[in-house]
């Protein structure tokens, strides 16, 4: 069997030694004290040292960490569609991507609540450069997507990643989560990158790529936060892109986004699972007699439409759309009070005298409305 050691998460026998090594690291300690505020650290340490598998660590610690984040920074998490899934099956979940750590944490929190197979989840190696973050990610069943490689290295590592995902799904019956694109959506416009699907299909072997996708049981997932606690942090990159300027990340930018994403106020959160993509869905694409690249484009559109359809729109989304278009088309979807609150949020977070900044900020919240309207299904 191929060696996946450079990208895989911990095996169960590696969990306890890793926890013992990192339990006193200041950042890990802070996470644990946040999770168990009422316990002495020696008692927390005892809980952690009783974890001998990823499942132990996720159920005894991380599940409670996510619960605390929801309790302190949100007005609750709701979901739809997960009760249609089979607890004995593994699935390939592909979702829109808004938050570095929370997206996959919340999906797994949800899967645990529905008694479904929890996921191994992809994470860019650029996000876990600090040793304690690498350890935490492997303890949470994250596998690495290697970034910043030469084209030749990229091809090799994509093939390996594809084979690893295939092994997890089809041999180990382990569900997998992956974002629909590299990096978070900064402008609110969620779309699936063909490159992600191309990588996924590399391990198909002799199979037709559409048959292979059907075998993976792909489930599109829409994650919707009422408010984005990192919206301000995303603005410099969004503006640079719109002004066609090169954007260089600052040293701690990703880490700051992780912290702000976890601890900032998010309002309500909804995660909706679409229906599993079936052979019939892929047959419709096959009948069009397209090249592989065109087929991938169609699969991407299929996933995008499922995400748009299942994306929960909040008052902030409708308000942003109406402000952007200078209309009152959606005024029955929000109250005057909600509009005033959103206006206040804008004035605190954006230079309203800068038309490009204001337009970009409104689009972050309005794009999901525009995308849902593009389906012409309402």
């Amino acid at each position: 069997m191929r060696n996946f050691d450079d990208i895989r998460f911990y095996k169960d026998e590696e969990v306890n030694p890793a926890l013992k090594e990192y339990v006193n690291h200041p950042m890990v300690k802070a996470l644990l004290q946040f999770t168990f505020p009422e316990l002495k650290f020696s008692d927390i340490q005892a809980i952690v040292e009783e974890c001998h598998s990823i499942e132990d660590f996720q159920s005894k610690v991380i599940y409670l960490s996510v619960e605390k984040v929801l309790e302190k920074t949100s007005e609750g998490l709701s979901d739809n569609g997960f009760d249609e899934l089979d607890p004995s099956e593994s699935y390939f979940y592909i979702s829109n991507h808004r938050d570095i750590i929370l997206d996959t944490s919340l999906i797994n929190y949800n899967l645990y609540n529905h008694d479904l197979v929890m996921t191994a989840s992809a994470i860019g190696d650029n996000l876990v450069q600090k040793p304690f973050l690498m350890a935490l990610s492997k303890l949470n069943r994250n596998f690495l997507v290697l970034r910043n490689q030469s084209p030749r290295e990229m091809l090799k590592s994509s093939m390996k990643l594809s084979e690893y995902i295939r092994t997890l799904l089809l041999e180990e019956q382990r569900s997998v989560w992956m974002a629909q694109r590299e990096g978070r959506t900064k402008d609110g416009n969620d779309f699936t990158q063909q490159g992600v699907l191309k990588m996924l299909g590399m391990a198909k072997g002799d199979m037709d790529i559409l048959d292979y996708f059907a075998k993976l049981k792909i489930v599109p997932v829409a994650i919707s936060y009422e408010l984005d606690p990192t919206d301000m942090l995303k603005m410099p990159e969004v503006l640079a892109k719109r002004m066609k300027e090169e954007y260089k990340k600052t040293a701690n930018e990703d880490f700051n986004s992780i912290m702000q994403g976890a601890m900032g106020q998010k309002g309500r959160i909804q995660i909706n699972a679409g229906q599993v993509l079936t052979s019939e869905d892929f047959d419709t694409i096959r009948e069009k007699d397209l090249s592989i690249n065109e087929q991938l484009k169609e699969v991407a559109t299929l996933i995008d439409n499922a995400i748009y359809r299942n994306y929960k729109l909040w008052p902030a989304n409708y308000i942003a759309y109406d402000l952007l278009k200078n209309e009152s088309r959606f005024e029955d979807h929000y109250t005057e009070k909600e509009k005033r609150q959103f206006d206040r949020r804008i004035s605190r977070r954006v230079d309203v005298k800068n038309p490009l900044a204001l337009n970009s900020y409104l689009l972050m919240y309005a794009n999901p409305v525009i995308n849902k309207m593009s389906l012409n299904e309402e």
Side-chain angles (χ1 to χ4, degrees):
M1 192 175 133
R2 184 147 184 194
N3 185 322
F4 298 113
D5 282 355
D6 58 333
I7 59 169
R8 69 170 174 82
F9 46 86
Y10 286 138
K11 295 175 180 166
D12 282 345
E13 63 269 21
E14 296 167 322
V15 167
N16 197 260
L19 286 169
K20 283 177 173 165
E21 182 180 349
Y22 284 100
V23 70
N24 284 304
H25 183 286
M27 293 303 292
V28 176
K29 205 169 179 175
L31 171 71
L32 293 168
Q33 286 170 324
F34 169 79
T35 306
F36 302 103
E38 69 294 343
L39 296 184
K40 296 204 300 277
F41 192 66
S42 56
D43 295 335
I44 299 174
Q45 212 160 351
I47 293 170
V48 169
E49 291 185 2
E50 276 169 22
C51 296
H52 291 274
S53 65
I54 289 180
E55 200 173 324
D56 281 351
F57 182 61
Q58 285 190 318
S59 59
K60 292 175 184 175
V61 179
I62 294 300
Y63 181 87
L64 301 171
S65 308
V66 175
E67 205 154 56
K68 269 280 183 291
V69 166
L70 288 170
E71 192 185 297
K72 288 184 177 296
T73 72
S74 84
E75 285 170 36
L77 171 68
S78 50
D79 68 86
N80 277 312
F82 289 91
D83 44 9
E84 306 287 316
L85 300 173
D86 183 342
S88 64
E89 295 277 8
S90 57
Y91 297 97
F92 181 82
Y93 297 99
I94 185 164
S95 77
N96 59 324
H97 191 23
R98 297 304 182 86
D99 187 277
I100 294 171
I101 299 292
L102 268 192
D103 292 351
T104 174
S105 302
L106 292 174
I107 285 176
N108 275 299
Y109 177 85
N110 226 12
L111 295 177
Y112 186 83
N113 287 340
H114 285 274
D115 207 19
L116 292 161
V117 177
M118 289 165 78
T119 71
S121 303
I123 192 166
D125 66 342
N126 56 309
L127 300 172
V128 287
Q129 293 296 314
K130 298 176 196 293
F132 85 91
L133 283 175
M134 178 69 87
L136 273 178
S137 73
K138 289 181 170 192
L139 284 162
N140 275 298
R141 218 183 270 114
N142 289 125
F143 56 90
L144 296 180
V145 179
L146 307 179
R147 304 264 193 243
N148 303 324
Q149 297 182 298
S150 70
R152 194 165 160 214
E153 287 170 330
M154 189 71 163
L155 189 64
K156 274 169 68 178
S157 67
S158 294
M159 185 66 202
K160 188 178 209 176
L161 184 61
S162 189
E163 287 178 1
Y164 186 52
I165 291 170
R166 179 187 174 123
T167 303
L168 289 167
L169 281 166
L170 302 183
E171 291 173 30
E172 297 180 16
Q173 277 66 59
R174 168 63 58 195
S175 289
V176 171
W177 172 85
M178 202 160 203
Q180 65 179 166
R181 45 169 295 151
E182 181 182 330
R184 289 166 297 151
T185 301
K186 308 290 196 314
D187 60 3
N189 184 18
D190 301 307
F191 66 91
T192 305
Q193 286 173 341
Q194 262 174 266
V196 170
L197 298 176
K198 197 171 185 178
M199 177 282 297
L200 186 62
M202 285 171 113
K204 67 183 178 59
D206 297 332
M207 285 183 80
D208 169 84
I209 194 163
L210 296 175
D211 289 339
Y212 180 61
F213 284 163
K215 199 174 174 181
L216 298 184
K217 299 188 288 288
I218 298 172
V219 179
V221 176
I223 306 177
S224 170
Y225 301 89
E226 184 170 13
L227 300 168
D228 181 351
T230 63
D231 52 12
M232 240 165 78
L233 299 178
K234 291 173 178 175
M235 283 295 286
E237 188 174 341
V238 170
L239 287 173
K241 197 172 171 184
R242 290 194 67 177
M243 294 190 287
K244 309 254 187 297
E245 292 172 0
E246 193 189 348
Y247 179 74
K248 274 266 187 284
K249 273 188 184 177
T250 55
N252 276 324
E253 189 168 325
D254 287 329
F255 186 65
N256 292 340
S257 290
I258 290 171
M259 294 308 292
Q260 184 60 29
M263 301 319 300
Q265 291 301 316
K266 294 167 266 292
R268 292 167 288 184
I269 307 167
Q270 189 152 327
I271 302 181
N272 294 335
Q275 293 182 319
V276 184
L277 301 186
T278 61
S279 298
E280 288 74 29
D281 293 317
F282 294 114
D283 286 346
T284 310
I285 294 172
R286 185 183 286 107
E287 283 157 16
K288 296 182 182 177
D289 201 20
L290 304 164
S291 68
I292 292 265
N293 273 345
E294 289 297 319
Q295 285 184 338
L296 291 176
K297 201 185 239 174
E298 293 276 328
V299 175
T301 302
L302 197 61
I303 292 167
D304 289 347
N305 289 349
I307 289 174
Y308 301 156
R309 191 175 299 121
N310 287 290
Y311 191 99
K312 167 72 180 172
L313 295 172
W314 305 103
N317 301 114
Y318 291 117
I319 294 164
Y321 180 92
D322 279 354
L323 288 172
L324 187 74
K325 302 285 186 187
N326 206 12
E327 294 177 4
S328 51
R329 177 193 289 229
F330 291 113
E331 63 185 353
D332 54 339
H333 288 276
Y334 53 84
T335 63
E336 268 307 310
K337 185 184 176 190
E338 285 166 334
K339 188 168 186 294
R340 280 198 307 276
Q341 285 171 333
F342 193 70
D343 277 332
R344 265 207 307 280
R345 184 180 181 89
I346 296 167
S347 60
R348 283 203 304 266
R349 288 171 175 249
V350 190
D351 174 7
V352 290
K353 294 188 192 73
N354 177 341
L356 189 65
L358 181 58
N359 179 273
S360 300
Y361 188 83
L362 291 174
L363 270 172
M364 269 186 198
Y365 286 92
N367 267 327
V369 182
I370 295 166
N371 286 336
K372 199 182 270 266
M373 287 167 75
S374 74
L375 297 171
N376 293 319
E377 293 177 351
E378 293 291 294

